[in-house]
PDB file of all heavy atoms in Angstrom:
ATOM      1  N   ALA A 118     162.819  53.578  59.650  1.00 98.00           N
ATOM      2  CA  ALA A 118     161.445  54.042  59.477  1.00 98.00           C
ATOM      3  C   ALA A 118     160.445  52.921  59.694  1.00 98.00           C
ATOM      4  O   ALA A 118     159.384  53.127  60.299  1.00 98.00           O
ATOM      5  CB  ALA A 118     161.262  54.642  58.088  1.00 98.00           C
ATOM      6  N   PHE A 119     160.757  51.725  59.222  1.00 98.00           N
ATOM      7  CA  PHE A 119     159.815  50.608  59.344  1.00 98.00           C
ATOM      8  C   PHE A 119     159.497  50.318  60.803  1.00 98.00           C
ATOM      9  O   PHE A 119     158.350  50.052  61.167  1.00 98.00           O
ATOM     10  CB  PHE A 119     160.389  49.367  58.665  1.00 98.00           C
ATOM     11  CG  PHE A 119     159.400  48.233  58.545  1.00 98.00           C
ATOM     12  CD1 PHE A 119     158.624  48.092  57.407  1.00 98.00           C
ATOM     13  CD2 PHE A 119     159.239  47.309  59.568  1.00 98.00           C
ATOM     14  CE1 PHE A 119     157.706  47.064  57.292  1.00 98.00           C
ATOM     15  CE2 PHE A 119     158.321  46.278  59.468  1.00 98.00           C
ATOM     16  CZ  PHE A 119     157.552  46.150  58.326  1.00 98.00           C
ATOM     17  N   GLN A 120     160.516  50.365  61.658  1.00 98.00           N
ATOM     18  CA  GLN A 120     160.321  50.048  63.073  1.00 98.00           C
ATOM     19  C   GLN A 120     159.274  50.949  63.720  1.00 98.00           C
ATOM     20  O   GLN A 120     158.564  50.535  64.636  1.00 98.00           O
ATOM     21  CB  GLN A 120     161.654  50.161  63.818  1.00 98.00           C
ATOM     22  CG  GLN A 120     161.584  49.864  65.311  1.00 98.00           C
ATOM     23  CD  GLN A 120     161.167  48.436  65.614  1.00 98.00           C
ATOM     24  OE1 GLN A 120     161.527  47.512  64.897  1.00 98.00           O
ATOM     25  NE2 GLN A 120     160.384  48.247  66.672  1.00 98.00           N
ATOM     26  N   ARG A 121     159.158  52.181  63.224  1.00 98.00           N
ATOM     27  CA  ARG A 121     158.225  53.137  63.823  1.00 98.00           C
ATOM     28  C   ARG A 121     156.766  52.754  63.592  1.00 98.00           C
ATOM     29  O   ARG A 121     155.875  53.272  64.269  1.00 98.00           O
ATOM     30  CB  ARG A 121     158.475  54.541  63.246  1.00 98.00           C
ATOM     31  CG  ARG A 121     159.824  55.122  63.623  1.00 98.00           C
ATOM     32  CD  ARG A 121     159.915  55.401  65.104  1.00 98.00           C
ATOM     33  NE  ARG A 121     161.284  55.713  65.526  1.00 98.00           N
ATOM     34  CZ  ARG A 121     161.637  55.901  66.778  1.00 98.00           C
ATOM     35  NH1 ARG A 121     160.732  55.803  67.732  1.00 98.00           N
ATOM     36  NH2 ARG A 121     162.884  56.153  67.092  1.00 98.00           N
ATOM     37  N   ALA A 122     156.503  51.858  62.656  1.00 98.00           N
ATOM     38  CA  ALA A 122     155.124  51.426  62.392  1.00 98.00           C
ATOM     39  C   ALA A 122     154.739  50.204  63.218  1.00 98.00           C
ATOM     40  O   ALA A 122     153.578  49.783  63.186  1.00 98.00           O
ATOM     41  CB  ALA A 122     154.945  51.129  60.902  1.00 98.00           C
ATOM     42  N   LEU A 123     155.689  49.637  63.956  1.00 98.00           N
ATOM     43  CA  LEU A 123     155.434  48.423  64.731  1.00 98.00           C
ATOM     44  C   LEU A 123     155.066  48.748  66.172  1.00 98.00           C
ATOM     45  O   LEU A 123     155.260  49.864  66.641  1.00 98.00           O
ATOM     46  CB  LEU A 123     156.668  47.516  64.698  1.00 98.00           C
ATOM     47  CG  LEU A 123     157.126  47.046  63.317  1.00 98.00           C
ATOM     48  CD1 LEU A 123     158.345  46.145  63.436  1.00 98.00           C
ATOM     49  CD2 LEU A 123     155.998  46.330  62.585  1.00 98.00           C
ATOM     50  N   ARG A 124     154.544  47.735  66.864  1.00 98.00           N
ATOM     51  CA  ARG A 124     154.195  47.854  68.272  1.00 98.00           C
ATOM     52  C   ARG A 124     155.008  46.854  69.080  1.00 98.00           C
ATOM     53  O   ARG A 124     155.551  45.890  68.527  1.00 98.00           O
ATOM     54  CB  ARG A 124     152.708  47.547  68.494  1.00 98.00           C
ATOM     55  CG  ARG A 124     151.732  48.478  67.829  1.00 98.00           C
ATOM     56  CD  ARG A 124     150.320  47.969  68.062  1.00 98.00           C
ATOM     57  NE  ARG A 124     149.317  48.771  67.359  1.00 98.00           N
ATOM     58  CZ  ARG A 124     148.052  48.387  67.211  1.00 98.00           C
ATOM     59  NH1 ARG A 124     147.648  47.224  67.712  1.00 98.00           N
ATOM     60  NH2 ARG A 124     147.204  49.154  66.560  1.00 98.00           N
ATOM     61  N   LYS A 125     155.063  47.068  70.373  1.00 97.00           N
ATOM     62  CA  LYS A 125     155.709  46.112  71.256  1.00 97.00           C
ATOM     63  C   LYS A 125     154.962  44.784  71.156  1.00 97.00           C
ATOM     64  O   LYS A 125     153.738  44.746  71.223  1.00 97.00           O
ATOM     65  CB  LYS A 125     155.717  46.619  72.696  1.00 97.00           C
ATOM     66  CG  LYS A 125     156.536  45.744  73.647  1.00 97.00           C
ATOM     67  CD  LYS A 125     156.668  46.385  75.009  1.00 97.00           C
ATOM     68  CE  LYS A 125     157.499  45.536  75.961  1.00 97.00           C
ATOM     69  NZ  LYS A 125     158.860  45.288  75.461  1.00 97.00           N
ATOM     70  N   GLY A 126     155.692  43.714  70.984  1.00 98.00           N
ATOM     71  CA  GLY A 126     155.090  42.399  70.798  1.00 98.00           C
ATOM     72  C   GLY A 126     155.175  41.913  69.377  1.00 98.00           C
ATOM     73  O   GLY A 126     155.136  40.700  69.120  1.00 98.00           O
ATOM     74  N   ASP A 127     155.297  42.839  68.410  1.00 98.00           N
ATOM     75  CA  ASP A 127     155.543  42.437  67.017  1.00 98.00           C
ATOM     76  C   ASP A 127     156.962  41.889  66.913  1.00 98.00           C
ATOM     77  O   ASP A 127     157.829  42.223  67.726  1.00 98.00           O
ATOM     78  CB  ASP A 127     155.370  43.631  66.077  1.00 98.00           C
ATOM     79  CG  ASP A 127     153.948  44.181  66.070  1.00 98.00           C
ATOM     80  OD1 ASP A 127     153.021  43.415  66.400  1.00 98.00           O
ATOM     81  OD2 ASP A 127     153.775  45.366  65.731  1.00 98.00           O
ATOM     82  N   MET A 128     157.210  41.068  65.903  1.00 98.00           N
ATOM     83  CA  MET A 128     158.527  40.438  65.794  1.00 98.00           C
ATOM     84  C   MET A 128     159.110  40.587  64.391  1.00 98.00           C
ATOM     85  O   MET A 128     158.475  40.231  63.393  1.00 98.00           O
ATOM     86  CB  MET A 128     158.425  38.953  66.145  1.00 98.00           C
ATOM     87  CG  MET A 128     159.751  38.213  66.132  1.00 98.00           C
ATOM     88  SD  MET A 128     160.952  38.831  67.359  1.00 98.00           S
ATOM     89  CE  MET A 128     160.191  38.254  68.883  1.00 98.00           C
ATOM     90  N   ASN A 129     160.317  41.127  64.325  1.00 98.00           N
ATOM     91  CA  ASN A 129     161.076  41.183  63.075  1.00 98.00           C
ATOM     92  C   ASN A 129     161.908  39.912  62.916  1.00 98.00           C
ATOM     93  O   ASN A 129     162.484  39.410  63.886  1.00 98.00           O
ATOM     94  CB  ASN A 129     162.022  42.386  63.078  1.00 98.00           C
ATOM     95  CG  ASN A 129     161.306  43.695  62.820  1.00 98.00           C
ATOM     96  OD1 ASN A 129     160.830  43.952  61.727  1.00 98.00           O
ATOM     97  ND2 ASN A 129     161.229  44.541  63.849  1.00 98.00           N
ATOM     98  N   LEU A 138     166.515  48.569  62.954  1.00 98.00           N
ATOM     99  CA  LEU A 138     165.346  48.136  63.716  1.00 98.00           C
ATOM    100  C   LEU A 138     165.642  48.170  65.207  1.00 98.00           C
ATOM    101  O   LEU A 138     164.812  48.571  66.021  1.00 98.00           O
ATOM    102  CB  LEU A 138     164.935  46.719  63.301  1.00 98.00           C
ATOM    103  CG  LEU A 138     164.466  46.517  61.857  1.00 98.00           C
ATOM    104  CD1 LEU A 138     164.370  45.034  61.541  1.00 98.00           C
ATOM    105  CD2 LEU A 138     163.119  47.205  61.620  1.00 98.00           C
ATOM    106  N   GLY A 176     161.874  42.779  69.857  1.00 98.00           N
ATOM    107  CA  GLY A 176     161.220  42.266  68.661  1.00 98.00           C
ATOM    108  C   GLY A 176     162.169  41.988  67.524  1.00 98.00           C
ATOM    109  O   GLY A 176     161.855  42.261  66.353  1.00 98.00           O
ATOM    110  N   LEU A 206     152.023  40.971  64.952  1.00 98.00           N
ATOM    111  CA  LEU A 206     152.362  40.658  63.568  1.00 98.00           C
ATOM    112  C   LEU A 206     153.847  40.385  63.443  1.00 98.00           C
ATOM    113  O   LEU A 206     154.648  40.760  64.305  1.00 98.00           O
ATOM    114  CB  LEU A 206     151.914  41.779  62.627  1.00 98.00           C
ATOM    115  CG  LEU A 206     152.540  43.174  62.780  1.00 98.00           C
ATOM    116  CD1 LEU A 206     153.876  43.282  62.046  1.00 98.00           C
ATOM    117  CD2 LEU A 206     151.580  44.241  62.268  1.00 98.00           C
ATOM    118  N   ALA A 207     154.208  39.729  62.355  1.00 98.00           N
ATOM    119  CA  ALA A 207     155.609  39.438  62.054  1.00 98.00           C
ATOM    120  C   ALA A 207     156.031  40.208  60.810  1.00 98.00           C
ATOM    121  O   ALA A 207     155.223  40.447  59.907  1.00 98.00           O
ATOM    122  CB  ALA A 207     155.810  37.937  61.832  1.00 98.00           C
ATOM    123  N   ALA A 208     157.290  40.599  60.784  1.00 98.00           N
ATOM    124  CA  ALA A 208     157.872  41.244  59.610  1.00 98.00           C
ATOM    125  C   ALA A 208     159.058  40.413  59.153  1.00 98.00           C
ATOM    126  O   ALA A 208     160.024  40.236  59.905  1.00 98.00           O
ATOM    127  CB  ALA A 208     158.305  42.670  59.933  1.00 98.00           C
ATOM    128  N   TRP A 210     162.234  39.706  56.517  1.00 98.00           N
ATOM    129  CA  TRP A 210     163.188  40.518  55.759  1.00 98.00           C
ATOM    130  C   TRP A 210     164.065  39.615  54.899  1.00 98.00           C
ATOM    131  O   TRP A 210     164.487  38.543  55.346  1.00 98.00           O
ATOM    132  CB  TRP A 210     164.067  41.342  56.704  1.00 98.00           C
ATOM    133  CG  TRP A 210     163.298  42.356  57.487  1.00 98.00           C
ATOM    134  CD1 TRP A 210     162.659  42.168  58.674  1.00 98.00           C
ATOM    135  CD2 TRP A 210     163.076  43.721  57.117  1.00 98.00           C
ATOM    136  NE1 TRP A 210     162.050  43.334  59.075  1.00 98.00           N
ATOM    137  CE2 TRP A 210     162.292  44.304  58.146  1.00 98.00           C
ATOM    138  CE3 TRP A 210     163.468  44.495  56.031  1.00 98.00           C
ATOM    139  CZ2 TRP A 210     161.895  45.639  58.103  1.00 98.00           C
ATOM    140  CZ3 TRP A 210     163.075  45.830  56.002  1.00 98.00           C
ATOM    141  CH2 TRP A 210     162.304  46.392  57.020  1.00 98.00           C
ATOM    142  N   ILE A 236     154.263  40.769  57.206  1.00 99.00           N
ATOM    143  CA  ILE A 236     154.710  41.687  56.154  1.00 99.00           C
ATOM    144  C   ILE A 236     156.001  41.118  55.587  1.00 99.00           C
ATOM    145  O   ILE A 236     156.962  40.885  56.327  1.00 99.00           O
ATOM    146  CB  ILE A 236     154.933  43.104  56.706  1.00 99.00           C
ATOM    147  CG1 ILE A 236     153.641  43.624  57.349  1.00 99.00           C
ATOM    148  CG2 ILE A 236     155.380  44.048  55.590  1.00 99.00           C
ATOM    149  CD1 ILE A 236     153.811  44.912  58.124  1.00 99.00           C
ATOM    150  N   TYR A 283     157.914  54.651  55.884  1.00 98.00           N
ATOM    151  CA  TYR A 283     156.995  54.643  57.020  1.00 98.00           C
ATOM    152  C   TYR A 283     155.547  54.501  56.554  1.00 98.00           C
ATOM    153  O   TYR A 283     154.767  53.728  57.137  1.00 98.00           O
ATOM    154  CB  TYR A 283     157.158  55.917  57.840  1.00 98.00           C
ATOM    155  CG  TYR A 283     156.159  56.033  58.968  1.00 98.00           C
ATOM    156  CD1 TYR A 283     156.275  55.241  60.110  1.00 98.00           C
ATOM    157  CD2 TYR A 283     155.075  56.912  58.870  1.00 98.00           C
ATOM    158  CE1 TYR A 283     155.332  55.326  61.136  1.00 98.00           C
ATOM    159  CE2 TYR A 283     154.141  57.003  59.886  1.00 98.00           C
ATOM    160  CZ  TYR A 283     154.275  56.206  61.013  1.00 98.00           C
ATOM    161  OH  TYR A 283     153.346  56.283  62.018  1.00 98.00           O
ATOM    162  N   ALA A 286     154.906  50.926  55.422  1.00 98.00           N
ATOM    163  CA  ALA A 286     154.870  50.039  56.582  1.00 98.00           C
ATOM    164  C   ALA A 286     153.565  50.220  57.343  1.00 98.00           C
ATOM    165  O   ALA A 286     152.943  49.247  57.797  1.00 98.00           O
ATOM    166  CB  ALA A 286     156.060  50.327  57.498  1.00 98.00           C
ATOM    167  N   THR A 290     150.824  47.340  57.978  1.00 98.00           N
ATOM    168  CA  THR A 290     150.443  46.952  59.342  1.00 98.00           C
ATOM    169  C   THR A 290     148.939  47.114  59.551  1.00 98.00           C
ATOM    170  O   THR A 290     148.328  46.321  60.270  1.00 98.00           O
ATOM    171  CB  THR A 290     151.214  47.754  60.407  1.00 98.00           C
ATOM    172  OG1 THR A 290     150.980  49.159  60.218  1.00 98.00           O
ATOM    173  CG2 THR A 290     152.699  47.485  60.340  1.00 98.00           C
ATOM    174  N   ARG A 294     146.716  44.093  60.916  1.00 98.00           N
ATOM    175  CA  ARG A 294     145.955  44.231  62.165  1.00 98.00           C
ATOM    176  C   ARG A 294     144.447  44.150  61.934  1.00 98.00           C
ATOM    177  O   ARG A 294     143.679  43.938  62.879  1.00 98.00           O
ATOM    178  CB  ARG A 294     146.326  45.536  62.868  1.00 98.00           C
ATOM    179  CG  ARG A 294     147.808  45.627  63.227  1.00 98.00           C
ATOM    180  CD  ARG A 294     148.100  46.698  64.235  1.00 98.00           C
ATOM    181  NE  ARG A 294     149.514  47.068  64.242  1.00 98.00           N
ATOM    182  CZ  ARG A 294     150.484  46.336  64.781  1.00 98.00           C
ATOM    183  NH1 ARG A 294     150.204  45.184  65.350  1.00 98.00           N
ATOM    184  NH2 ARG A 294     151.753  46.757  64.738  1.00 98.00           N
TER     185      ARG A 294
END
Side-chain angles (χ1 to χ4, degrees):
F119 189 92
Q120 180 63 36
R121 294 293 169 185
L123 300 181
R124 297 176 184 167
K125 187 172 181 59
D127 297 336
M128 183 62 71
N129 283 291
L138 296 169
L206 63 84
W210 295 87
I236 302 170
Y283 175 73
T290 58
R294 300 196 199 284

